[in-house]
Amino acid sequence: KLIFTTSLLLGTTITISSNHWIMAWAGLEINTLAILPLISKSHHPRAIEAATKYFLTQAAASALVLFSSMTNAWHTGQWDITQLTHPTSCLILTSAIAMKLGLVPFHFWFPEVLQGSPLTTGLLLSTVMKFPPITLFFMTSPSLNQTLLMLMAILSAALGGWMGLNQTQIRKILAFSSISHLGWMTIIISYSPKLTLLNFYLYTLMTAAVFLTLNSFKTLKLSTLMTTWTKTPALSAMLFLTLLSLAGLPPLTGFLPKWLIIQELTKQDMITAAVTISMLSLLGLFFYLRLAYCATITLPPHTTNHMKQWRTNKPVSAMIAILITMSTMLLPIS
């Protein structure tokens, strides 16, 4: 595990600090290879299948990254990441990074992989593994095709919302929530890349809080989430707030990136895009609310066939406490 986590950190650091396309590609490859054993650790057929799907998509995306940078080098004669100017290279790179991140129309692998891996690995997949591709987006953002990015962003927000409505598996719900958040990050990348990074950091914060809380509950389905309120009532109540924050409701942290992104979009005269993506985030709000209801508000009607869990004496870890506090209280930093 130590080897894999250091490799993850190493790959991420190589990618985000590189100037040369080949270095960025090498970092992405190290990342992919380091996370694979963590996905397939349980040796369950689902986990092996998830690892295979992950490997295939990430390998294809890395090949496309190489291909776009080589096309650009062939046409312009340099390998600098910030100098990606050739339109074909930009299109290929956009699709490659969309595959890396799981943006619509390349989103199919992500819920499956997240469903097959344990909760802590799922947290790594939806936060750490998204960071290097987003930094590549950040560095190449001036030259990317804005229409394509906006289309992909609105489709991601739409499909992330719609496909999450029908799920009962918590990891899949969180995967679709991740897809719709990536839509919010992508729509603003060519206008104000800093907002994309801010959105990503806050999203990482809130997702980490949710995943770690669920991991301490040891819960994977909505039906088991319904019985956890007896285990640690205070943590369940805070999970409720964190989920609403992830949905982006105003007094909580999650509202901050949405607010700033809508403001920036209206400055850029993209009123329709702002209205559309705000309406589509209501779809996400529905399934966050359902998770929140299952976690705290409603008692399950069929209390007989589910064992109530015993109240634990274990204190909540300081990490979860800090993350939950930050993911509910950070709005004043704006």
Side-chain angles (χ1 to χ4, degrees):
K1 266 192 181 172
L2 182 67
I3 293 176
F4 299 141
T5 40
T6 37
S7 303
L8 270 179
L9 288 171
L10 173 76
T12 308
T13 316
I14 287 179
T15 303
I16 63 181
S17 57
S18 59
N19 285 318
H20 194 291
W21 273 113
I22 299 288
M23 281 297 279
W25 170 81
L28 290 172
E29 284 296 307
I30 292 174
N31 253 357
T32 305
L33 292 177
I35 197 87
L36 282 173
L38 295 176
I39 300 176
S40 56
K41 190 176 64 191
S42 63
H43 295 296
H44 190 279
R46 278 270 171 91
I48 307 296
E49 184 188 350
T52 314
K53 283 176 180 168
Y54 186 75
F55 174 71
L56 291 173
T57 47
Q58 298 299 310
S62 298
L64 280 178
V65 167
L66 267 187
F67 183 47
S68 80
S69 53
M70 281 169 72
T71 315
N72 190 59
W74 175 255
H75 282 282
T76 60
Q78 38 76 36
W79 286 90
D80 196 345
I81 291 185
T82 50
Q83 303 293 324
L84 188 82
T85 47
H86 194 255
T88 319
S89 308
C90 289
L91 282 176
I92 299 172
L93 182 85
T94 309
S95 58
I97 290 189
M99 277 175 88
K100 280 268 175 212
L101 291 171
L103 278 170
V104 175
F106 308 104
H107 62 288
F108 296 103
W109 62 274
F110 189 51
E112 307 285 330
V113 171
L114 216 60
Q115 181 56 36
S117 47
L119 278 168
T120 40
T121 312
L123 172 62
L124 288 177
L125 277 172
S126 47
T127 56
V128 179
M129 302 303 290
K130 308 267 165 157
F131 188 45
I134 281 186
T135 53
L136 289 180
F137 248 173
F138 185 84
M139 289 189 277
T140 54
S141 59
S143 48
L144 297 177
N145 183 346
Q146 294 179 350
T147 326
L148 178 70
L149 284 176
M150 202 183 80
L151 192 69
M152 282 164 89
I154 286 180
L155 279 175
S156 294
L159 283 175
W162 262 314
M163 295 170 77
L165 294 180
N166 210 8
Q167 304 294 332
T168 56
Q169 298 284 345
I170 295 178
R171 284 169 296 184
K172 278 196 174 173
I173 293 182
L174 287 168
F176 288 119
S177 103
S178 175
I179 292 172
S180 54
H181 273 276
L182 284 168
W184 278 89
M185 291 174 220
T186 317
I187 198 164
I188 202 68
I189 186 86
S190 45
Y191 302 104
S192 165
K194 286 187 177 132
L195 274 186
T196 299
L197 280 189
L198 174 77
N199 193 348
F200 178 73
Y201 295 145
L202 292 178
Y203 162 74
T204 303
L205 199 76
M206 298 181 287
T207 313
V210 171
F211 266 107
L212 290 173
T213 309
L214 292 172
N215 191 39
S216 72
F217 285 161
K218 298 278 178 285
T219 168
L220 299 170
K221 290 199 290 291
L222 284 180
S223 55
T224 47
L225 185 64
M226 282 182 168
T227 60
T228 51
W229 62 274
T230 49
K231 200 173 179 180
T232 41
L235 191 54
S236 290
M238 291 314 286
L239 175 65
F240 171 69
L241 282 181
T242 316
L243 285 165
L244 291 187
S245 176
L246 205 50
L249 288 187
L252 306 163
T253 310
F255 178 58
L256 169 60
K258 287 189 167 43
W259 182 22
L260 294 175
I261 286 174
I262 289 173
Q263 188 187 358
E264 183 63 35
L265 285 175
T266 41
K267 270 186 202 161
Q268 302 285 352
D269 273 346
M270 294 172 59
I271 315 286
T272 36
V275 169
T276 315
I277 202 163
S278 319
M279 293 305 233
L280 288 171
S281 70
L282 290 176
L283 290 168
L285 176 64
F286 178 79
F287 57 77
Y288 291 123
L289 264 180
R290 191 167 61 184
L291 270 174
Y293 261 84
C294 287
T296 48
I297 302 177
T298 49
L299 299 183
H302 41 77
T303 38
T304 46
N305 53 7
H306 273 300
M307 289 291 289
K308 287 278 190 301
Q309 300 193 24
W310 285 90
R311 175 87 55 107
T312 51
N313 287 327
K314 263 191 323 192
V316 177
S317 78
M319 186 73 185
I320 296 183
I322 294 169
L323 282 171
I324 285 187
T325 312
M326 285 175 75
S327 53
T328 49
M329 310 282 188
L330 272 190
L331 189 67
I333 64 165
S334 60

